Amino acid sequence: MPVPELLVLFGSQTGTAQDQAERLGREARRRRLGCRVQALDSYAVANLIREPLVIFVCATTGQGDPPDNMKNFWRFIFRKNLPSTSLCQMDFAVLGLGDSSYAKFNFVAKKLHRRLLQLGGSALLPPCLGDDQHELGPDAAIDPWLEALWEKVLGLYPVPLDLPVIPPGIPLPSKFIFQFLQEAPSTGSGELSITSSAPQGPASELQPFLAPMVANERVTGLQHFQDVRLIEFDITGSGISFAAGDVVLIQPSNSAAHTKQFCQVLGLDPNQYFVLQPREPGVPCPPGLPQPCSVRHLVSQYLDIASVPRRSFFELLACLSPHELEREKLLEFSSARGQEELYEYCNRPRRTILEVLCDFPNTAGAIPADYLLDLIPQIRPRAFSIASSLLAHPTRLQILVAVVQYQTRLKEPRRGLCSSWLASLDPQQAGPVRVPLWVRSGGLVFPETPGTPVIMVGPGTGVAPFRAAIQERVAQGQTENFLFFGCRLRDQDFYWQPEWQKLEERGCLTLVTAFSREQEQKVYVQHRLRELGALVWELLNLRGAFFYLAGNAKYMPTDVAEALISVFQEYGGLSNSDAAAYLANLQRTLRFQTETWA
Amino acid sequence: GISASQLVAVIWDKSSPEKALKDLVDRLQRLTGSEGQVLMENVNQLLQFNNNKVKTASKLCSALTLSGLVEIKELQREALGPEETQSVQEHLGYHSDTLISVQITGKKPNFEVGSSSQLKLSVSKKSSPSVKPVVDPAAAKLWTLSANDMEDESTDLIDSDELLDPEDLKKPDPASLRAPSCGEGKKRKACKNCTCGLAEDLEREKSKQQSAQPKSACGNCYLGDAFRCANCPYLGMPAFKPGEQVLLSTSNLQDA
C-alpha cells in the first residue's frame, strides 16, 4: 500500500509561514504520511489538478497582498479561463497568517479558500486565521486547527497499524549530513564565492554583487536618540540599474564576537571545512552555501543566530537534549500549554537563538552538527529604499539607515542585525569593505508624463525614496515636486536640509515641514496636509497629481489617508463615502501609492 | 493505412461511379472487419441538411461516442488536394479551402452480459479519497495550457475582492485575543525548588515582595532566565557558573 502523500505549499514574507509549513511537514512525517513542502512559486502549478491533498500556508503582507514567493501563483489562480471543475480531485485546507489590526486581515487566506472552492476543490476545514494580535501569536489559532486537520486527514488516510506515530521527544532524521574534511581545501573557497556553478548575470539573491562601501556618515545630531546613517556604495561594474522607487536588498553577516561565541558554546571549530549531503535523494543543497564550506562561513554568513527562535526551535532542541533539567524545560516550551511561558521568556524580551543556547549550555554542547540547518534559519536579506538617483550620482547607490537599538528587560540591548552590521563597517579602513547586495523593483512608480505634479509625504527615514525621486525628476526637468517632510527637531534629524534648500531656490521643489517636538503640541505631516488642503485638492483634482506616502509606522498611513478624506470633503465638497470612493479610485489608477515598513 | 476494427467514413457524391464505390466499400469492410464500421455519407446531404452526424472532425468524434464506441481517436487528417477540392466545387458547388479527409479509429466496448462497471459519482466527500470525480479531460487541458504559460499577462483575472463579504472586514473581539489565563498582567512564577518564600507569597496572593539581597536562597540564579523565579535579581542576564562573580547594577536590586 503506497504511503499517502500530502503537499504543503506556502507563501511567506518573513519566514513565519514557511516555518509553519515546515512544522506541518514534520507533523505529517511523525504521523507516517509522506509530505512535500514547497514555496508556491517554486511548484509547477500545472500539476495541481492531480494533487489529492494540499495544505496552503499563506501569509498576508503589506496592504492585503500575497508574499513575494507566491505572487506568480496569485496572478495565475484568478485567471478567468480556469475551468470550475479543475480541482475536483483535491481535498484542501488553508492556513492563514495575518494581523487583525489591519483592515485586510488575512485577506490572502480568505480569498484563496473561496477561489479553491470555485475551482472545484473540497475544503477539509474552514480556513485558519492566525493572528499576530493574539497575545500568544498565531499559534493560538493554529494549534487547535492543526489538531482538527490531522483528525480529518487520518480519517481519509489511515496509517497502517504497524507504523505507529513518532512521538514528540524523538527527533526526526536531519535534512542534511555534514561530512567534515580532514584538511582545509587548497583553493581556500568560502568567503567570497557562492555557488560556483551559478552563471554570471545581473546581481540577484543567489549571486549578490559585493559592493564596496565608500561612505558611512551619521546624519542625525549627536543629541538625537537615534543613529541614522547615509551609506554610499560603489556599483561600478555591477550591471545594476535602478529607478527612483526601487529597493536594494542587503545580506548582512553576524558579528565576529557572536560567531566566536556560538562556536564556543557548541564546541565547533570555526576553521574546519565540511561538505553537505542531503539525506533524501532529490533534495537540493541550500543554494546560499558554498561547497565545501567552512564552519566560520556557515556561522557568520548563513545561520541567523541573532534571530528570535520560534517554537519549532525549542521542539527540536528538546529532542536533542541529553540533560534532564534542560530537556524538561525545553519540552515545556514546545508544548501547547507552555506557549504563554515561552512568550514571556523569548518573544516579549526578543531573546536571540544565541542567548537561548547560552541559557541551555549542556544541550547546546550536545547538538550534532547535522541538525544545524534544521535548527537555525538562514539570515534573511533586508530591504532599503534607494535614496539616490543614477541621474544625479551615476555608479553610486545611497541608502538611509536608522540603526535599530532598543531595550527590553534583558540587560543587553536589542540590536538590528543589518543596521548594526552596516553601522560597524568603516570604509576608511585599509582594504575594501564589501557588502553583498542586489536590486529589485520597489512599490513606487513615478509618472512619466511631463508636467504631472507629484506630492510626496515622507516623515523620518520615509523621505529616502523621495530624495531619489526628486533627484531623478529634477534631472529630467520636472519641477513640480511637493514634499511633506516630518521629523522631531530641525537641527537633529532634518535629513538633506541643505539639498532641499538649494532645490527650493531653483524653483524645483516646494517643501512643507512638520517638526513634531518644536512646540508644545505635536505637529505631524497629516496636520500640514489639512492646512494646505486647498492646494492638495487643486493638485489632485485639477492637475492630475500623483500622491505618495512612505515611512516607518503602522498608523501613519491611516492618519494620512484620513487627512486626505477630510481634505476631499472640505475642499471638494464630497460626502464621506464619496471622498472614500475618490481615494479608492486614486489607488486603483496608481495615483495614490504607499511604501511602508513595520 | 486501414486496419481492423477502425471506423471509416466514406464521403461520396453522385459523381462517384456506383461500382467503384461498392468495390471501395467492400474492400474497406474486409479490412476493418467485424469490429469496425464503414459509414457512407453523401456530401450533398451533409451540406444541405447540415447533418449533425458528420460535419467537423470533432463532431464526428462526438457522434461516434454517442453511438456507443469507446477509445475514439483521431489518427490522421489530410487536406484535400487541389484536384479533389476542385471536384467537390464542380460537383457540389461547395467551395472551401479547408476541406480535409479525416481518419478516425474506434472500438466497440467489451460489455458481456452481466458485466459491471463502477459509476463515478461526485456526491460523497466523506470517508474514502477514491470517490472523487475524474477531471474532465477538456478542463485538464485548459488548466495545463494556462499553467504552461505563466508569463501571459494578457489573460483576464477575476477581481479577488469580489470573493469577500462584509463579514471578512470585521475585527475580532479583543477579549478573544487574550491568553486564556491572563487577567491581572504578567504571571509571576516560582522556580522549581523554591525556598525563598515566593511560592508561599503567591498562594497568599500578595501583590509585591521586596528583594533586598543579591544572594539567592533558591540557588537557581546561575541557570539562566528560563529557570529563574520571577523576583530573581539576575533576571535579564545570561546564565553563569555557580560561584562566579556577577556584578549587578543598583537598578537590578530594585523591584521589577
Side-chain angles (χ1 to χ4, degrees):
Chain A
M1 170 134 168
V3 173
E5 269 262 339
L6 163 67
L7 175 64
V8 179
L9 294 173
F10 64 87
S12 184
Q13 193 72 11
T14 61
T16 307
Q18 179 170 353
D19 181 66
Q20 292 290 352
E22 286 167 0
R23 170 191 179 180
L24 257 153
R26 285 190 302 273
E27 292 194 8
R29 268 177 231 119
R30 285 189 184 274
R31 288 162 176 77
R32 308 298 190 164
L33 296 163
C35 186
R36 291 160 288 150
V37 179
Q38 276 186 282
L40 270 160
D41 281 353
S42 306
Y43 174 77
V45 73
N47 298 329
L48 204 58
I49 47 175
R50 283 177 282 274
E51 298 281 356
L53 183 56
V54 186
I55 314 295
F56 296 85
V57 181
C58 301
T60 299
T61 186
Q63 308 296 318
D65 301 314
D68 292 337
N69 60 9
M70 68 178 279
K71 282 209 150 77
N72 292 337
F73 173 82
W74 202 242
R75 277 191 293 267
F76 170 79
I77 204 73
F78 289 104
R79 286 183 179 176
K80 277 187 181 158
N81 63 9
L82 297 178
S84 62
T85 57
S86 307
L87 304 179
C88 60
Q89 294 261 313
M90 185 192 286
D91 284 315
F92 75 86
V94 176
L95 195 170
L97 289 133
D99 186 324
S100 61
S101 63
Y102 288 87
K104 301 191 178 183
F105 171 55
N106 261 315
F107 266 22
V108 171
K110 287 170 180 168
K111 288 179 180 181
L112 180 60
H113 183 97
R114 306 229 174 104
R115 181 58 176 155
L116 293 170
L117 288 172
Q118 268 188 352
L119 293 171
S122 314
L124 291 168
L125 295 169
C128 177
L129 304 177
D131 188 355
D132 278 347
Q133 284 304 310
H134 195 287
E135 220 166 337
L136 300 178
D139 274 350
I142 294 174
D143 288 355
W145 187 85
L146 276 182
E147 266 188 50
L149 177 70
W150 291 126
E151 224 183 280
K152 275 276 156 89
V153 170
L154 292 173
L156 288 176
Y157 299 95
V159 166
L161 289 165
D162 59 339
L163 281 178
V165 166
I166 304 176
I170 311 265
L172 292 170
S174 68
K175 228 185 265 161
F176 297 99
I177 299 170
F178 275 59
Q179 283 168 346
F180 284 98
L181 307 177
Q182 298 294 1
E183 288 170 359
S186 48
T187 50
S189 67
E191 303 307 322
L192 293 182
S193 71
I194 316 292
T195 10
S196 49
S197 57
Q200 281 297 326
S204 67
E205 184 159 6
L206 288 176
Q207 281 240 278
F209 176 68
L210 293 158
M213 182 187 280
V214 296
N216 186 347
E217 201 200 314
R218 177 173 173 142
V219 290
T220 45
L222 293 169
Q223 276 101 26
H224 194 64
F225 79 102
Q226 191 161 47
D227 179 358
V228 178
R229 305 292 182 92
L230 178 58
I231 298 180
E232 189 174 42
F233 299 102
D234 182 351
I235 54 169
T236 319
S238 65
I240 288 176
S241 180
F242 55 87
D246 288 347
V247 141
V248 63
L249 289 129
I250 292 184
Q251 186 71 24
S253 300
N254 291 309
S255 70
H258 285 165
T259 303
K260 184 171 172 196
Q261 193 182 15
F262 181 84
C263 290
Q264 273 173 349
V265 172
L266 266 72
L268 295 169
D269 174 6
N271 297 313
Q272 243 197 325
Y273 277 76
F274 62 90
V275 167
L276 277 181
Q277 271 238 322
R279 204 177 277 277
E280 268 170 58
V283 171
C285 280
L289 280 177
Q291 297 253 61
C293 182
S294 72
V295 169
R296 179 175 286 107
H297 182 99
L298 176 72
V299 177
S300 62
Q301 321 264 56
Y302 191 91
L303 296 178
D304 200 357
I305 60 179
S307 66
V308 178
R310 298 196 173 96
R311 178 177 170 185
S312 54
F313 173 86
F314 290 91
E315 218 178 282
L316 179 52
L317 206 57
C319 294
L320 300 173
S321 177
H323 186 264
E324 197 192 313
L325 184 68
E326 290 182 11
R327 186 186 163 90
E328 196 189 327
K329 184 57 79 171
L330 291 166
L331 280 172
E332 222 179 290
F333 280 150
S334 21
S335 68
R337 56 179 165 72
Q339 288 312 290
E340 236 181 290
E341 214 200 321
L342 177 61
Y343 216 72
E344 278 303 310
Y345 171 67
C346 203
N347 303 71
R348 205 189 292 271
R350 315 289 297 155
R351 198 180 297 268
T352 68
I353 285 179
L354 179 53
E355 286 170 327
V356 172
L357 291 171
C358 292
D359 267 5
F360 291 85
N362 295 289
T363 309
I367 296 172
D370 285 348
Y371 281 95
L372 283 174
L373 294 167
D374 294 280
L375 198 57
I376 303 172
Q378 184 184 9
I379 299 175
R380 302 184 79 82
R382 269 66 166 174
F384 297 91
S385 289
I386 299 177
S388 62
S389 168
L390 286 170
L391 297 179
H393 304 283
T395 76
R396 292 291 195 261
L397 191 158
Q398 294 180 355
I399 54 174
L400 197 62
V401 179
V403 180
V404 174
Q405 185 171 323
Y406 58 95
Q407 208 73 31
T408 63
R409 70 169 166 81
L410 294 174
K411 190 155 173 284
E412 188 67 24
R414 306 295 92 190
R415 287 181 230 270
L417 176 64
C418 190
S419 58
S420 303
W421 176 66
L422 286 171
S424 72
L425 300 173
D426 178 11
Q428 311 301 334
Q429 69 168 48
V433 172
R434 288 175 176 270
V435 170
L437 54 79
W438 63 99
V439 160
R440 73 157 189 242
S441 299
L444 302 179
V445 172
F446 291 89
E448 289 183 355
T449 322
T452 312
V454 157
I455 306 172
M456 297 161 279
V457 178
T461 51
V463 74
F466 299 141
R467 196 274 191 135
I470 290 168
Q471 278 189 336
E472 200 150 281
R473 284 169 59 83
V474 167
Q476 292 165 340
Q478 311 246 47
T479 56
E480 290 198 83
N481 304 305
F482 298 82
L483 178 63
F484 286 77
F485 174 70
C487 67
R488 287 195 184 186
L489 296 159
R490 76 180 71 218
D491 64 338
Q492 292 298 313
D493 56 344
F494 192 174
Y495 312 123
W496 290 300
Q497 186 272 331
E499 216 171 282
W500 304 139
Q501 191 170 346
K502 287 206 192 79
L503 287 172
E504 276 193 301
E505 285 161 14
R506 282 170 57 191
C508 302
L509 174 68
T510 305
L511 177 67
V512 180
T513 53
F515 301 110
S516 62
R517 300 211 177 175
E518 285 199 344
Q519 57 284 311
E520 186 71 41
Q521 77 279 25
K522 291 279 195 290
V523 176
Y524 294 134
V525 284
Q526 52 266 33
H527 302 130
R528 294 288 189 236
L529 277 172
R530 284 180 208 240
E531 281 171 29
L532 292 169
L535 172 66
V536 171
W537 175 249
E538 187 196 316
L539 288 169
L540 283 172
N541 199 46
L542 296 175
R543 302 288 325 283
F546 278 52
F547 190 100
Y548 299 87
L549 191 159
N552 180 3
K554 214 194 245 184
Y555 303 109
M556 188 265 296
T558 318
D559 290 340
V560 168
E562 269 172 21
L564 276 183
I565 302 270
S566 73
V567 162
F568 299 157
Q569 288 179 274
E570 199 179 325
Y571 296 96
L574 300 178
S575 69
N576 198 341
S577 54
D578 282 345
Y582 190 89
L583 183 61
N585 193 45
L586 287 177
Q587 268 174 300
R588 247 194 308 275
T589 53
L590 297 184
R591 286 177 54 209
F592 177 88
Q593 300 179 29
T594 64
E595 178 107 299
T596 54
W597 48 90
Chain B
I2 311 286
S3 56
S5 75
Q6 282 184 336
L7 189 77
V8 180
V10 179
I11 316 285
W12 60 275
D13 74 344
K14 60 181 195 246
S15 76
S16 317
E18 202 183 318
K19 175 104 178 31
L21 204 49
K22 189 164 187 319
D23 281 347
L24 174 65
V25 171
D26 283 342
R27 244 177 62 219
L28 288 173
Q29 276 180 329
R30 259 181 279 124
L31 284 170
T32 55
S34 55
E35 297 294 300
Q37 213 176 332
V38 180
L39 290 173
M40 303 286 294
E41 285 299 327
N42 179 291
V43 71
N44 271 330
Q45 298 228 314
L46 289 176
L47 293 169
Q48 270 186 11
F49 300 117
N50 216 1
N51 194 314
N52 68 358
K53 266 203 202 146
V54 183
K55 193 178 178 187
T56 62
S58 59
K59 283 246 164 81
L60 177 57
C61 288
S62 0
L64 295 175
T65 311
L66 287 171
S67 64
L69 295 175
V70 294
E71 292 179 29
I72 310 291
K73 258 187 293 209
E74 186 188 315
L75 289 179
Q76 190 179 315
R77 55 170 72 186
E78 260 169 37
L80 290 185
E83 268 182 280
E84 297 157 60
T85 312
Q86 177 84 345
S87 169
V88 171
Q89 181 174 5
E90 272 175 36
H91 290 102
L92 308 170
Y94 179 78
H95 176 73
S96 166
D97 291 325
T98 58
L99 289 172
I100 50 169
S101 81
V102 185
Q103 205 180 90
I104 294 173
T105 174
K107 243 169 138 166
K108 256 172 68 173
N110 208 0
F111 287 150
E112 309 281 307
V113 171
S115 69
S116 64
S117 167
Q118 183 174 47
L119 289 174
K120 294 203 168 86
L121 298 169
S122 61
V123 176
S124 164
K125 296 186 203 308
K126 286 196 203 125
S127 44
S128 173
S130 66
V131 185
K132 283 270 178 208
V134 179
V135 181
D136 168 26
K141 203 170 178 184
L142 274 170
W143 175 280
T144 312
L145 275 173
S146 198
N148 287 335
D149 194 5
M150 288 296 277
E151 305 299 314
D152 184 6
E153 299 282 319
S154 65
T155 45
D156 279 338
L157 303 181
I158 67 166
D159 181 1
S160 63
D161 283 336
E162 286 174 9
L163 291 169
L164 302 170
D165 53 48
E167 278 293 305
D168 295 312
L169 285 166
K170 274 201 190 153
K171 300 251 168 167
D173 174 16
S176 66
L177 300 177
R178 311 298 303 282
S181 68
C182 185
E184 317 85 45
K186 290 181 223 169
K187 209 164 75 169
R188 298 176 76 210
K189 250 193 80 165
C191 55
K192 203 171 158 184
N193 45 355
C194 178
T195 53
C196 69
L198 180 65
E200 293 162 40
D201 286 322
L202 287 175
E203 271 163 25
R204 271 184 261 128
E205 284 178 11
K206 239 191 193 175
S207 53
K208 273 197 183 194
Q209 189 182 3
Q210 288 303 314
S211 146
Q213 294 94 29
K215 209 167 172 178
S216 153
C218 76
N220 283 345
C221 300
Y222 71 95
L223 283 176
D225 280 359
F227 304 94
R228 290 176 182 145
C229 56
N231 64 345
C232 181
Y234 294 97
L235 267 180
M237 295 178 60
F240 53 91
K241 301 274 176 342
E244 201 184 310
Q245 277 274 23
V246 178
L247 288 171
L248 290 171
S249 63
T250 41
S251 57
N252 282 85
L253 297 175
Q254 259 124 41
D255 227 51

